[in-house]
Amino acid sequence: MKNKYVFILTLTFVCSTLLALFSEGLKSKTLFNKELDKKKNILECVGIDIDALSNVEIINSFSVNIEEITLDISGNVIDNITHDKLKISNDNITGESKYYYLNVEYLPAYISANMNALIIPISGKGLWSTLYGYFAIDLTNYSTVKGIMFYQHAETPGLGAEITKNWFKSSFIGKELYLKNELKSIKITKAGKANQSDLYEVDGISGATITSRGVEILLKRDLLKYQVYFRKNK
């Protein structure tokens, strides 16, 4: 009987140890994949073709082309607070993401000197889900749009999910955010109704008015957070 309990305890210990090791290994792989996916999205947002790149090449390209910076809400660069120190707080109602360190709000951003772009994270509510993405603007005038992309959402395929398609993303490139030093951002019209010569509007998605409106709202709201930095560095 004693040997029976020893066997059970030994088996339990061994199984627990193996599960813990497996879990730790899986966690490391998950974190690696998440970080790699972030790098892919940021590179793609500034126009770098990542389709033919290996994982190692993506990591190297990010290292060469992208620099992370952290700003305080007054638009100052804070050198001693890296992005990995920031804790993300997500608003379940608006979809807005805020970033904190020691209960103080900061703003993460990325600079690509090679692509002449500043990249900021964006998020907000669509119809069915929170939309997460990145938005890139000209590093010189902080007005000309260089790129937009969404990497996470649960919108309807063929409708709201069109925010990830090239036709929608490319329509933003070359548009402007400022008019006479006032942030206009980008208006998203009804599908097919945008004036293509207007630098401040793009076509919305047919059958996905709420998702389109959500993108318009989140974009201006998140850009306003960084406006002090834009004006300081123009």
Side-chain angles (χ1 to χ4, degrees):
M1 183 65 71
K2 180 179 179 181
N3 290 337
K4 177 182 177 181
Y5 287 118
V6 171
F7 172 77
I8 293 173
L9 289 172
T10 301
L11 183 62
T12 301
F13 174 77
V14 171
C15 290
S16 298
T17 302
L18 290 175
L19 284 172
L21 291 173
F22 177 77
S23 176
E24 188 60 32
L26 187 63
K27 179 181 177 182
S28 299
K29 186 175 181 179
T30 299
L31 290 174
F32 172 80
N33 288 336
K34 185 176 180 180
E35 186 66 18
L36 181 67
D37 191 54
K38 181 187 79 173
K39 288 178 168 61
K40 287 180 180 179
N41 291 319
I42 293 172
L43 290 171
E44 186 178 345
C45 192
V46 293
I48 295 175
D49 185 3
I50 63 170
D51 290 339
L53 300 182
S54 67
N55 289 349
V56 172
E57 289 171 328
I58 287 169
I59 293 170
N60 289 339
S61 180
F62 187 89
S63 178
V64 169
N65 289 289
I66 308 295
E67 174 192 1
E68 71 170 45
I69 61 171
T70 301
L71 312 172
D72 63 20
I73 58 174
S74 297
N76 303 304
V77 177
I78 308 300
D79 293 324
N80 63 335
I81 301 178
T82 54
H83 290 192
D84 58 350
K85 294 180 180 178
L86 300 177
K87 182 178 179 181
I88 304 176
S89 174
N90 297 310
D91 188 312
N92 293 327
I93 297 176
T94 65
E96 181 181 10
S97 296
K98 291 187 177 182
Y99 302 81
Y100 294 91
Y101 177 67
L102 299 179
N103 296 319
V104 178
E105 185 178 0
Y106 293 93
L107 305 172
Y110 303 86
I111 286 178
S112 177
N114 292 339
M115 304 302 291
N116 192 41
L118 175 82
I119 309 100
I120 65 170
I122 54 176
S123 66
K125 281 295 183 182
L127 174 59
W128 303 113
S129 66
T130 297
L131 318 175
Y132 296 95
Y134 292 102
F135 191 71
I137 63 176
D138 187 279
L139 189 58
T140 305
N141 63 21
Y142 295 92
S143 178
T144 306
V145 180
K146 307 278 282 188
I148 187 173
M149 73 157 316
F150 292 95
Y151 61 88
Q152 183 178 328
H153 68 85
E155 300 300 281
T156 307
L159 296 174
E162 291 289 299
I163 59 173
T164 64
K165 297 300 177 65
N166 285 333
W167 76 264
F168 183 73
K169 295 186 294 183
S170 62
S171 67
F172 286 80
I173 298 174
K175 297 296 183 178
E176 297 291 332
L177 302 176
Y178 280 89
L179 177 62
K180 296 180 179 178
N181 210 35
E182 178 187 351
L183 179 64
K184 288 193 65 175
S185 192
I186 306 295
K187 178 183 178 181
I188 302 180
T189 70
K190 290 184 178 180
K193 298 298 183 180
N195 179 353
Q196 300 305 316
S197 63
D198 191 318
L199 292 175
Y200 302 94
E201 63 181 54
V202 298
D203 276 321
I205 302 166
S206 180
T209 303
I210 294 178
T211 303
S212 299
R213 177 63 176 158
V215 173
E216 180 180 322
I217 291 171
L218 73 86
L219 189 56
K220 187 166 188 179
R221 183 195 62 219
D222 286 348
L223 285 168
L224 282 169
K225 299 179 189 176
Y226 292 81
Q227 183 166 231
V228 178
Y229 176 80
F230 299 161
R231 287 178 170 168
K232 281 185 175 183
N233 289 277
K234 279 187 178 182

